[in-house]
């Protein structure tokens, strides 16, 4: 397996010598190696050689993704506020440039992400004001493009989990359904998805439903899931799509036989086992592995 991966990567790298832009190389640097600086340098160089507006748009939304992620790594202190704001505004500008050239679900997704980050930097009230425009863009990704895009389900899961109910549209149950859809649509070949597993497990721990409550609520959700046709509305009830008899791919029992916390343990153990089987491991995964082990220890103590 390691030999095969090495050969594939040699082909990807070699192809960058002959093409103005190789998206597979950029995506590998971003999602697998997490070498954002190398990716950024490659994208900036490729932008100057873009063959047409379509290729330029592909590079621009990847640059937005890259700049946003690099900005995420800036320490959240008052001294760094302006630097973080500048970074997210640059990410927004790049995504908007991509949209202006060629509309795509990827460009809209990263535009939404940048807008949300700007709101977070400027404080709770500004974050609330950015929430609806951000949701509208993500809904465009899923509904207008019918993308069923993993990363946008993740954004909706985070958005609905973090926003307060009542004064906004936050809803913990919708958040979990969106996060489940994220996990069920994720790329399990090229990405280890530790962040997705960790977020779903944490949300389940925080909700803390018993097995009996899950059985009752999932049957209610199933009726609503079957009645909806708009993707983002339908997926609000995704965890109840099979009712109490649903069984996640990482579980050996149906949903009504385990509590939220018991399922969280299954998710975390599966994530660790899956990661151990991956042929190539990166130092950048260490922090997520640490968080997974800490949460698992806290649940099972």
């Amino acid at each position: 397996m390691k030999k095969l991966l090495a050969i594939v990567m040699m082909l990807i790298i070699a192809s960058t010598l002959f093409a103005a832009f190789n998206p597979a190389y950029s995506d590998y640097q971003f999602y697998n190696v997490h070498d954002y600086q190398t990716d950024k340098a490659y994208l900036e160089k490729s932008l100057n050689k873009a063959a047409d507006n379509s290729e330029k748009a592909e590079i621009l939304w990847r640059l937005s993704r890259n700049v946003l992620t690099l900005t995420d790594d800036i320490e959240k202190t008052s001294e760094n506020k302006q630097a973080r704001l500048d970074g997210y505004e640059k990410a927004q500008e790049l995504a908007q440039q991509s949209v202006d050239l060629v509309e795509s679900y990827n460009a809209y997704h990263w535009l939404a992400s940048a807008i949300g980050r700007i709101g977070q930097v400027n404080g709770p009230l500004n974050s609330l004001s950015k929430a609806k425009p951000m949701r509208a863009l993500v809904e465009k990704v899923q509904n207008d493009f019918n993308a069923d895009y993993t990363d946008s389900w993740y954004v909706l899961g985070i958005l609905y989990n973090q926003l307060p109910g009542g004064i906004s549209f936050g809803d913990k149950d919708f958040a979990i359904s969106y996060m489940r859809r994220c996990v069920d649509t994720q790329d399990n070949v090229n990405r280890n998805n530790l962040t997705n597993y960790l977020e779903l497990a944490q949300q389940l721990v925080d909700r803390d439903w018993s097995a009996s409550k899950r059985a009752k609520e999932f049957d209610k959700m199933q009726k609503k899931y079957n009645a909806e046709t708009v993707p983002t509305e339908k997926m609000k009830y995704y965890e109840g799509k099979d009712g109490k008899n649903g069984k996640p791919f990482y579980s050996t029992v149906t949903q009504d036989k385990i509590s939220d916390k018991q399922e969280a343990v299954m998710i975390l153990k599966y994530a660790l086992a899956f990661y151990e089987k991956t042929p190539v491991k990166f130092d950048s995964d260490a922090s997520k592995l640490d968080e997974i082990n800490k949460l698992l220890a806290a649940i099972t103590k």
Side-chain angles (χ1 to χ4, degrees), residues 261-293:
K261 283 186 177 178
Q262 287 172 322
E263 184 181 356
V265 170
M266 287 183 177
I267 294 168
L268 297 172
K269 287 184 176 180
Y270 179 90
L272 292 172
F274 180 85
Y275 181 77
E276 281 304 310
K277 293 179 181 178
T278 57
V280 180
K281 297 175 175 60
F282 301 100
D283 292 340
S284 53
D285 294 321
S287 62
K288 286 300 174 187
L289 289 169
D290 186 50
E291 289 181 60
I292 286 173
N293 281 307

Side-chain angles (χ1 to χ4, degrees), residues 25-40 66 69-70 73 190-195 275 280-288:
Y25 176 78
S26 173
D27 292 344
Y28 182 82
Q29 293 300 324
F30 185 86
Y31 286 118
N32 295 77
V33 186
H34 308 302
D35 188 346
Y36 307 123
Q37 292 293 353
T38 295
D39 183 36
K40 185 169 183 286
N66 183 283
T69 305
L70 283 170
D73 289 339
N190 302 304
R191 297 162 65 173
N192 58 44
N193 302 302
L194 297 179
T195 299
Y275 181 77
V280 180
K281 297 175 175 60
F282 301 100
D283 292 340
S284 53
D285 294 321
S287 62
K288 286 300 174 187

Side-chain angles (χ1 to χ4, degrees), residues 217-228:
E217 294 299 326
F218 289 171
D219 278 347
K220 290 180 185 177
M221 289 182 197
Q222 187 178 34
K223 294 177 182 177
K224 294 180 179 179
Y225 176 84
N226 290 333
E228 292 289 351

Side-chain angles (χ1 to χ4, degrees), residues 71 74 79-88:
T71 306
I74 298 175
E79 292 81 5
N80 291 336
K81 179 178 178 179
Q82 190 57 51
R84 293 174 62 234
L85 190 59
D86 289 345
Y88 293 137

